[in-house]
Amino acid sequence: MALVGGSMNAETKIQSVEINGVAVPLLFEQSKNLPVGSVQLVFIGGSADGAKAGLGNLSAKILNEGTKDLGSVEFAKRLESKAISLYASVGLQTLNLELSYLKEFQNESFTLLNELLKQPNLTQEALSKVKTLTLNKLAQQEDDFDSIAEKNLYKILFEGTAMATPLLGDKQSVESVSLQDVEQFLQRNLVLKRLIIVAGGDLQENEFKTTLIKALSTLPVGESKEKLSFEAIQTPKNISSKKPTQQAFVYFGSRFDNADKTKNYMARVMSFILGGSGFGSRMMEEVRVKRGLAYSAYMRVNVGGAAEYTSGYLQTKLENKDEAIRVVKEVIEEFVNNGVSEEELNAAKAFLLGSEPLREESLSQRLNAKFLNYFRDLPLDYHKRELDQIKDLKLDELNAYIKSHKEILELSFSVVE
């Protein structure tokens, strides 16, 4: 097993470590501020790879139940005795294992990680426990009208895709998941060809890599998984759910045609001014400040992820629902047709350029930003390059961009009332 070097980019190295003949990507940054290490194992697959809704979530929760030999309690005690944190989670496209530890306990940390990867607690008892917890959470969500409205929006906006399926699944799908389903999910996902490693801290690089390779050498090679992309529906749809409430919960969204990814920085500024900045945004000013129709209202343009779309939300009195929806449509129509003012653009620039340093204060923030760029096939410092583009953005350029996105007028609405 060899250590493979790489290139330097903004203090974080893109490298690879060779494990069982597979060159596994490694994003590494050394930081001596604290005597700690942080490692994230990101496996491409996630909940979208599950044959059943909620399977990815249950599988991640199983990984938090310790090993088959030690069980959840004893494994947790081993972690706690050395102040080690080891936690699994799942997203739409990734299954993640996050390990953090004091520098002096690096070997013990990787030993426990290795044990978990070799023999997770794939027992009926553990599965029954995580199922019960998930079913309880689903039952709580039945009275969470915000959650219902949001899930219904994604159900119609991304109909027929994995994005339409809630991460937790539903009662029927969760109950149907078997131990074999979980085992097969983990076998597909916990493989070297799907792995990206993100690591940083007060680490001796070569020693760290050697320890890392030893801990992960038991993983099978497996098969790679392509990253997915989803498109919102072309024709708007509305969905309404009747619940015992005095408030209307209104979620809305649309597709966002973003063929030219080099202009994502304009989408960011557009989103900030339209409804992503809270007070001062068009949506908040018109819906709350001027008309008093809602406590809060927002709308964002989502680009760079698995799907590109707009999404928004407001909550209002039942009797104000129709007026609030009408105002939302008017605000967006005015925005698209007439663009923004120089004052709005300058305010957006001031905030976006001024707040960026706060996003990179900690090692975890820096690594996360660079991982997202890497995952999206962008330069590691893309978020910084984007700031230069925002700084130089001209009003006529932004308004031409906004006017080219008339598709955001074609809104789908999900209402709980």
Side-chain angles (χ1 to χ4, degrees):
M1 299 174 188
L3 303 181
V4 184
S7 59
M8 177 73 74
N9 191 321
E11 299 181 350
T12 300
K13 297 178 181 179
I14 306 178
Q15 311 180 62
S16 62
V17 286
E18 187 177 306
I19 309 174
N20 298 341
V22 178
V24 178
L26 167 64
L27 275 68
F28 180 86
E29 179 176 332
Q30 192 170 64
S31 172
K32 295 186 177 294
N33 290 340
L34 293 170
V36 297
S38 174
V39 182
Q40 186 172 7
L41 306 181
V42 183
F43 297 90
I44 309 300
S47 65
D49 191 53
K52 296 179 179 179
L55 173 58
N57 175 66
L58 291 173
S59 300
K61 289 188 181 304
I62 283 283
L63 291 175
N64 291 323
E65 290 299 311
T67 64
K68 188 173 288 187
D69 282 351
L70 294 176
S72 60
V73 175
E74 187 59 35
F75 190 79
K77 285 181 180 178
R78 296 273 185 98
L79 293 173
E80 188 177 349
S81 68
K82 304 293 184 183
I84 300 167
S85 174
L86 178 55
Y87 181 75
S89 61
V90 73
L92 180 66
Q93 296 202 78
T94 61
L95 175 64
N96 311 300
L97 276 165
E98 297 179 55
L99 174 67
S100 59
Y101 53 88
L102 295 173
K103 181 181 178 181
E104 61 186 294
F105 297 129
Q106 177 170 286
N107 289 334
E108 293 89 339
S109 300
F110 278 101
T111 296
L112 289 168
L113 172 64
N114 176 261
E115 290 178 9
L116 179 63
L117 292 172
K118 281 197 301 187
Q119 50 156 348
N121 194 5
L122 288 167
T123 62
Q124 195 60 52
E125 180 184 7
L127 179 59
S128 296
K129 175 183 174 181
V130 299
K131 275 189 176 184
T132 298
L133 292 171
T134 302
L135 290 170
N136 287 342
K137 192 166 185 178
L138 286 170
Q140 291 171 8
Q141 289 182 352
E142 291 178 2
D143 296 322
D144 184 344
F145 302 147
D146 260 320
S147 176
I148 293 170
E150 185 177 27
K151 284 194 290 187
N152 284 346
L153 175 66
Y154 281 87
K155 189 180 295 183
I156 58 173
L157 202 57
F158 294 99
E159 186 177 5
T161 76
M163 281 195 70
T165 304
L167 198 65
L168 296 183
D170 56 36
K171 185 174 184 291
Q172 183 177 358
S173 67
V174 169
E175 289 178 339
S176 73
V177 170
S178 68
L179 200 59
Q180 185 180 25
D181 291 330
V182 174
E183 185 173 9
Q184 290 175 348
F185 179 89
L186 294 177
Q187 286 174 347
R188 283 196 309 275
N189 282 272
L190 296 178
V191 298
L192 294 170
K193 282 197 172 182
R194 296 191 178 193
L195 177 58
I196 301 168
I197 305 169
V198 184
D202 186 7
L203 309 172
Q204 296 298 321
E205 189 169 334
N206 288 333
E207 177 190 349
F208 166 75
K209 289 179 183 176
T210 300
T211 306
L212 180 69
I213 289 170
K214 182 179 178 182
L216 301 181
S217 60
T218 56
L219 287 176
V221 172
E223 296 182 359
S224 59
K225 174 77 172 178
E226 292 295 321
K227 288 174 286 186
L228 304 175
S229 62
F230 306 95
E231 292 186 3
I233 56 172
Q234 295 284 327
T235 304
K237 290 187 176 181
N238 296 328
I239 185 171
S240 179
S241 180
K242 299 292 184 181
K243 295 291 180 180
T245 174
Q246 299 302 309
Q247 298 284 313
F249 299 81
V250 182
Y251 279 73
F252 50 92
S254 73
R255 74 184 193 281
F256 188 76
D257 297 336
N258 190 38
D260 188 354
K261 304 295 190 292
T262 65
K263 294 183 178 179
N264 280 2
Y265 70 99
M266 291 197 202
R268 187 174 171 186
V269 177
M270 171 183 173
S271 178
F272 183 89
I273 297 172
L274 174 57
S277 59
F279 283 103
S281 73
R282 288 282 189 92
M283 196 64 68
M284 182 73 91
E285 286 292 311
E286 295 295 330
V287 175
R288 174 184 169 159
V289 178
K290 291 184 180 180
R291 295 174 173 84
L293 291 172
Y295 179 73
S296 66
Y298 71 79
M299 184 176 182
R300 298 189 182 100
V301 179
N302 305 285
V303 295
E308 314 215 313
Y309 62 104
T310 71
S311 59
Y313 159 82
L314 64 86
Q315 181 182 335
T316 189
K317 294 179 180 178
L318 287 177
E319 59 266 30
N320 293 335
K321 179 202 69 176
D322 292 338
E323 184 185 359
I325 290 174
R326 178 182 60 78
V327 171
V328 165
K329 292 178 178 179
E330 287 179 357
V331 169
I332 300 170
E333 185 172 7
E334 163 69 18
F335 184 80
V336 170
N337 290 338
N338 299 317
V340 306
S341 68
E342 191 79 53
E343 183 182 3
E344 287 175 310
L345 174 57
N346 289 337
K349 284 184 178 184
F351 181 87
L352 294 172
L353 297 175
S355 63
E356 189 63 30
L358 300 177
R359 301 174 187 271
E360 294 213 340
E361 285 188 312
S362 69
L363 175 65
S364 62
Q365 287 175 313
R366 292 194 299 274
L367 286 173
N368 184 59
K370 290 166 185 174
F371 167 73
L372 287 176
N373 289 335
Y374 177 83
F375 189 74
R376 295 167 180 172
D377 300 316
L378 298 168
L380 286 193
D381 65 345
Y382 177 78
H383 55 298
K384 292 184 177 179
R385 299 185 191 186
E386 201 173 56
L387 292 180
D388 291 333
Q389 293 175 309
I390 290 173
K391 183 179 179 181
D392 296 334
L393 180 58
K394 300 293 189 292
L395 183 64
D396 58 347
E397 293 175 327
L398 177 60
N399 282 336
Y401 180 79
I402 291 171
K403 290 177 183 179
S404 72
H405 285 285
K406 295 188 182 299
E407 74 278 2
I408 72 171
L409 298 170
E410 300 167 5
L411 292 168
S412 294
F413 282 87
S414 168
V415 180
V416 170
E417 57 185 328

